[in-house]
Amino acid sequence: MEFPFDVNALFPETISVLDQNLCAARKPHGRPDAQNQTAIVIDELGKASAKAQQLPAPITSAAKLQSNRHYLYLLKDGERNGGRGVAVGYLKVGYKKLFLLDQRGAHVETEPLCVLDFYVTENLQRHGYGLELFRFMLEHKKVEPEQMAYDRPSPKFLAFLEKHFELKHSVPQVNNFVVFDGFFRNRSVVPLRKVPLKKPEGEIKPYSLMEREVVREEQKVLPWPFVRSAAPPPSPPLAVSSQFSRSLSVGSSPTRGPPRPTAAPGVRQGPTLHPQSLDNCRTKRTSSLNRSQLSFH
Ligand SMILES: CC(=O)SCCNC(=O)CCNC(=O)[C@H](O)C(C)(C)COP(=O)(O)OP(=O)(O)OC[C@H]1O[C@@H](n2cnc3c(N)ncnc32)[C@H](O)[C@@H]1OP(=O)(O)O
């Protein structure tokens, strides 16, 4: 995605880690217009991501990033656009308090690192950029893919996880977060923090409540599961929620599409991480450098 300003000047690194300040914590922008331009990049990519996922409203924007403790990994290609660079995509993660079911169906209160949004511009998908982003995040957060939770992953993202990390056997949940077999098996690796029964931390509201609230304001409609069209409510009134009935407990992210099927209970296979080398991915996408043009609309 091209912009009418120098992306390379804005983001010196190939992958920038953006936080609430819209900049890497240790590298505040010196230029006065840098934050505005950074916001433009995030907002435009966020809109494109929402469109790609057929979401009713963006779940990623500069304003949302500023009001949540999320990390956004932004990938550029500095050689495109006459050397001014283009924004290729982003990966957004954050910690969420989730009630999850382990393999025995027992509730476990956790606060894993979650993938909340992931997007590579349309004409650069399947060229290894997504893997580059994902692997950078894994290294930065010192986490393994099986230790993370995924907020209603799209079919493309599920295919991505299976291809690159052999994550395919999910543990059935009652919300829209997907976790895979190793999530519970490796408790010694991932300390699943037991959350006391007092009120949760203020900065990160559980179960995507914050995003729901913002989307509700933007859309001027009631939040899920009470969203109804202008037409009279279906009969029975809550029939529309039947397909979301698994999400009535916790952790759902109603801003995405309908829930996707999870693995059948009892189907278990311990995934082994075999990420492909980044070099391979870079080789793969290099072949497409001239394939398409990016545009900022
Ligand atoms: C929790 C969430 O964020 S869910 C939302 C995920 N985002 C989206 O669905 C938005 C649209 N899709 C995308 O932006 C990208 O395809 C991403 C971010 C999912 C993956 O990034 P990419 O750069 O395409 O991934 P990368 O090139 O590293 O890996 C390619 C693999 O991803 C999967 N994949 C990517 N695109 C597709 C596709 N159109 N159809 C099926 N699988 C796909 C495949 O496994 C693919 O391997 P293959 O080409 O050998 O079949």
Side-chain angles (χ1 to χ4, degrees), residues 82-122:
R84 288 158 64 92
V86 297
V88 171
Y90 65 77
L91 172 62
K92 188 175 74 173
V93 302
Y95 292 93
K96 295 281 183 185
K97 291 189 174 87
L98 302 174
F99 286 105
L100 297 173
L101 297 175
D102 67 12
Q103 289 93 337
R104 296 161 300 165
H107 279 94
V108 182
E109 195 167 359
T110 67
E111 192 176 347
L113 187 65
C114 303
V115 174
L116 305 172
D117 198 9
F118 191 18
Y119 177 68
V120 168
T121 49
E122 308 299 319

Side-chain angles (χ1 to χ4, degrees), residues 54-56 151-152 173-177 212 223-228 234 237-261:
Q54 300 179 320
L55 302 177
D151 189 355
R152 199 177 279 198
Q173 299 299 318
V174 294
N175 55 40
N176 292 313
F177 281 83
R212 270 186 236 172
W224 179 95
F226 306 107
V227 175
R228 296 205 180 101
L238 292 180
V240 69
S241 69
S242 60
Q243 62 176 313
F244 298 108
S245 58
R246 292 183 307 147
S247 307
L248 285 176
S249 57
V250 293
S252 58
S253 292
T255 52
R256 294 191 191 280
R260 299 173 178 89

